[in-house]
Amino acid sequence: EAIVIPDESRNLDASNCVYPAEYEGHFDSLMIFKDEIRKAVQSLANKIHEDYQGCRPVMVCILKGSNPFYQHLLDALQDHKQGYNTEFIRVSSYEGTNSTGHVKIEGGLDVNMLQQRHVILVEDIVDTGTTLSHLIPMLKEMTNPPPASIEVCSLLSKRINKPQKVEAKYVGFSIPDHFIVGYGLDHNELYRDTEDIWIISQKGIDFDPSCLS
């Protein structure tokens, strides 16, 4: 079961959190500590290992946002002596703070590696499910013969006011509908370089990244 982050603020003490100095004032509040993330990743690796013992799933990292989660998940799978293959794909469906509903594959993927294999798509966050609802059928169409199975592992699942088009089988946290950044999640290519997950402030949303060198 996913860890449920409540709708109301958790009032976490962020005094010991580390992030680049240029982000000062860019966060409203801390949503998830890095230690909580690592524990959730270990739990997800346990579940995946239980389901895939005896076979080598293809772990597909959906770039860029899921990269830190992906790397830590693979480390945790290695602790179980779980074999896997790795692939990477870059898919875009976001502009600014809102999902556009448009999906485009921008990265290379060796679809031959997916033929008749058990595939796990590794995401940072699922909210509307728009990206996955387009990507999964595309992968099945691009691969001949198709994968034996395609499942989704997402660190976060956002609680929104409409049904998700695709639900992840493996989820670390169920979170409220806030705009969050950190641990790979960005806004205008900033904030990926933090270890914790934050609710972004208006100052962070309005910040012009072109002023950074």
Side-chain angles (χ1 to χ4, degrees):
E1 291 293 329
I3 299 167
V4 177
I5 303 298
D7 292 335
E8 62 275 8
S9 173
R10 301 171 70 197
N11 296 315
L12 298 177
D13 180 7
S15 59
N16 292 324
C17 294
V18 177
Y19 52 80
E22 57 266 29
Y23 296 162
E24 194 64 44
H26 291 203
F27 307 128
D28 265 345
S29 61
L30 177 63
M31 179 176 278
I32 307 174
F33 276 119
K34 66 176 182 179
D35 291 344
E36 295 176 302
I37 296 171
R38 294 299 180 89
K39 289 179 182 178
V41 172
Q42 289 286 346
S43 178
L44 291 171
N46 294 345
K47 295 172 185 175
I48 291 172
H49 176 61
E50 289 174 3
D51 291 344
Y52 290 89
Q53 289 187 64
C55 71
R56 294 175 60 89
V58 181
M59 308 293 292
V60 180
C61 178
I62 301 179
L63 298 169
K64 297 181 184 176
S66 64
N67 186 49
F69 171 47
Y70 182 77
Q71 297 299 331
H72 290 144
L73 181 63
L74 296 189
D75 288 345
L77 289 173
Q78 290 172 13
D79 291 340
H80 288 287
K81 300 181 180 180
Q82 172 67 54
Y84 53 79
N85 290 92
T86 60
E87 285 292 335
F88 299 84
I89 190 169
R90 189 169 176 179
V91 182
S92 62
S93 67
Y94 273 74
E95 291 179 4
T97 60
N98 297 311
S99 178
T100 65
H102 301 292
V103 172
K104 180 171 66 173
I105 294 179
E106 299 176 331
L109 172 72
D110 184 357
V111 294
N112 294 325
M113 287 294 297
L114 309 185
Q115 293 177 355
Q116 297 180 307
R117 298 289 298 278
H118 294 289
V119 175
I120 301 177
L121 303 178
V122 180
E123 267 279 30
D124 50 2
I125 185 169
V126 176
D127 44 25
T128 64
T130 297
T131 300
L132 294 169
S133 70
H134 287 78
L135 179 59
I136 292 173
M138 289 171 67
L139 292 178
K140 292 178 179 179
E141 292 173 5
M142 293 165 59
T143 310
N144 186 20
S149 66
I150 299 180
E151 299 292 352
V152 177
C153 177
S154 182
L155 177 64
L156 307 170
S157 178
K158 184 179 287 188
R159 300 191 294 274
I160 56 177
N161 292 326
K162 55 184 177 181
Q164 294 178 332
K165 297 177 182 178
V166 174
E167 293 186 4
K169 181 175 181 179
Y170 307 100
V171 177
F173 298 91
S174 170
I175 65 170
D177 189 6
H178 295 299
F179 183 33
I180 57 170
V181 293
Y183 193 67
L185 293 110
D186 79 303
H187 175 53
N188 294 331
E189 291 300 324
L190 297 178
Y191 314 113
R192 298 190 195 277
D193 50 346
T194 69
E195 297 179 304
D196 310 280
I197 294 176
W198 304 83
I199 299 174
I200 194 170
S201 67
Q202 192 61 49
K203 180 179 179 180
I205 292 173
D206 295 338
F207 184 75
D208 181 2
S210 66
C211 70
L212 300 175
S213 59

